[in-house]
Amino acid sequence: MKLDKRMVNRLLTLDDEQLGNVIKSIAAESGIDPAALGLNPNSIESIRAALGMAREEDLKQMEEIYNAYRHTPKKP
């Protein structure tokens, strides 16, 4: 997953429901139960604020963490 400022700006144009669906989709693709995220209007607002303040360095770090997590074998 390539996460850069351009992608973040596109995500920030989504309404809360659409953004929540994207987050759930990414979680599911990563092996995380989307229901376990507990997304609600407040959490979506917090995620939106964090994405809006993210610098390129932050996005690179998030991408590295995400990619490392995806390649970690899951426990049975």
Side-chain angles (χ1 to χ4, degrees), residues 59-75:
L59 298 175
K60 183 169 176 52
Q61 185 178 16
M62 283 191 276
E63 181 179 1
E64 290 170 1
I65 292 168
Y66 173 78
N67 287 330
Y69 179 81
R70 286 191 64 212
H71 295 96
T72 302
K74 307 296 182 255
K75 295 180 182 178

Side-chain angles (χ1 to χ4, degrees), residues 40-57:
N40 60 54
N42 289 335
S43 61
I44 296 290
E45 184 178 322
S46 296
I47 292 167
R48 186 181 298 281
L51 286 173
M53 293 186 303
R55 301 169 298 155
E56 284 294 337
E57 298 83 22

Side-chain angles (χ1 to χ4, degrees), residues 5-54:
K5 239 354 193 177
R6 187 173 141 250
M7 175 60 77
V8 167
N9 289 336
R10 288 180 62 200
L11 290 171
L12 293 174
T13 65
L14 302 175
D15 65 34
D16 287 354
E17 183 177 353
Q18 293 169 323
L19 182 56
N21 288 337
V22 168
I23 293 166
K24 289 175 186 176
S25 175
I26 292 169
E29 290 174 13
S30 302
I32 299 169
D33 177 8
L37 296 175
L39 290 179
N40 60 54
N42 289 335
S43 61
I44 296 290
E45 184 178 322
S46 296
I47 292 167
R48 186 181 298 281
L51 286 173
M53 293 186 303

